[in-house]
């Protein structure tokens, strides 16, 4: 009985790692197009570029954890995340206030990632996967940092957007 229970929890852990891997690939597909279009908000572009590099590191850590469990690269390949379409739509909005909508969507997605990593840490602990704690906590910390930055900078981005609109300038993403 205990063996079956351990296998089930290990299965949950592998599924959680795969889901996190898909989530991080989804994050890249949201951030990269935003970065390509940003013109009037260099501070946002700089932070997005930094977080894209962090996200690539997170994917690498997840790859290592999965490979350490004997999961092959073919099994690691991401399947569509159920919320992927929704999040992608939120991240690829082309509108006059795109910078604001992207800011809202990015903040929501960062908090989704924070919740996912918090849950994955519990599952890793239950599965006895102590070596996962460091890499998962590093990813969690990076997501928390990005969420804090987005929250702290929303007022400034909104003011800049409003100022550009008030003088009739195209508030280029």
């Amino acid at each position: 009985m205990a063996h079956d229970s351990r296998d089930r929890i290990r299965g949950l852990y592998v599924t959680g790692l795969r889901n996190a891997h898909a989530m991080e690939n989804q994050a890249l597909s949201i951030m990269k197009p935003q970065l390509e279009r940003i013109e009037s908000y260099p501070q946002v572009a700089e932070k997005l570029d930094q977080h894209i590099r962090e996200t690539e590191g997170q994917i690498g850590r997840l790859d290592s954890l999965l490979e350490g469990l004997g999961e092959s690269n073919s099994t690691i390949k991401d399947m569509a995340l159920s919320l992927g379409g929704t999040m992608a739509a939120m991240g690829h909005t082309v509108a006059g206030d795109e910078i604001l909508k992207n800011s809202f969507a990015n903040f929501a997605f960062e908090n989704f990632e924070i919740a996912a990593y918090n849950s994955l840490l519990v599952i890793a602990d239950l599965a006895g996967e102590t070596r996962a704690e460091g890499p998962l906590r590093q990813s969690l910390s990076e997501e928390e940092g990005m969420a804090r930055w987005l929250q702290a900078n929303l007022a400034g981005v909104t003011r800049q957007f409003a100022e550009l609109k008030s003088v009739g300038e195209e508030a280029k993403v």
Side-chain angles (χ1 to χ4, degrees):
M1 190 68 155
H3 192 298
D4 286 346
S5 175
R6 196 174 316 122
D7 285 347
R8 280 191 213 104
I9 290 184
R10 183 189 182 280
L12 284 175
Y13 174 61
V14 170
T15 298
L17 289 173
R18 286 182 185 156
N19 288 342
H21 196 275
M23 171 185 73
E24 294 303 353
N25 276 298
Q26 184 67 43
L28 286 179
S29 76
I30 291 170
M31 291 184 290
K32 285 181 175 181
Q34 288 179 20
L35 182 60
E36 291 168 7
R37 292 193 305 268
I38 290 177
E39 292 180 33
S40 300
Y41 305 86
Q43 75 284 14
V44 176
E46 182 181 324
K47 188 63 177 178
L48 267 179
D49 187 51
Q50 175 195 338
H51 196 56
I52 285 168
R53 288 192 307 275
E54 287 176 341
T55 301
E56 290 166 344
Q58 293 164 6
I59 290 169
R61 288 192 291 274
L62 291 164
D63 283 340
S64 294
L65 290 171
L66 283 161
E67 288 166 7
L69 294 168
E71 298 294 317
S72 72
N73 279 335
S74 60
T75 8
I76 292 172
K77 287 195 174 148
D78 298 320
M79 294 177 269
L81 206 55
S82 59
L83 68 122
T86 305
M87 288 297 178
M90 288 168 60
H92 301 292
T93 306
V94 179
D97 59 350
E98 181 179 0
I99 189 69
L100 298 181
K101 288 178 180 164
N102 285 346
S103 295
F104 307 157
N106 291 344
F107 184 70
F109 199 80
E110 291 305 319
N111 281 281
F112 178 86
E113 290 175 305
I114 289 166
Y117 279 114
N118 275 307
S119 178
L120 191 51
L121 278 160
V122 172
I123 294 170
D125 181 55
L126 291 171
E129 293 290 335
T130 54
R131 65 191 176 89
E133 184 174 355
L136 294 176
R137 286 209 181 278
Q138 183 177 351
S139 295
L140 174 62
S141 175
E142 291 165 356
E143 302 302 357
E144 289 170 336
M146 184 63 171
R148 277 192 305 274
W149 187 91
L150 287 163
Q151 186 170 24
N153 285 274
L154 181 59
V157 168
T158 303
R159 279 189 193 92
Q160 184 179 352
F161 171 79
E163 287 168 12
L164 287 169
K165 283 291 191 186
S166 73
V167 295
E169 282 198 35
E170 186 62 31
K172 294 182 179 129
V173 186

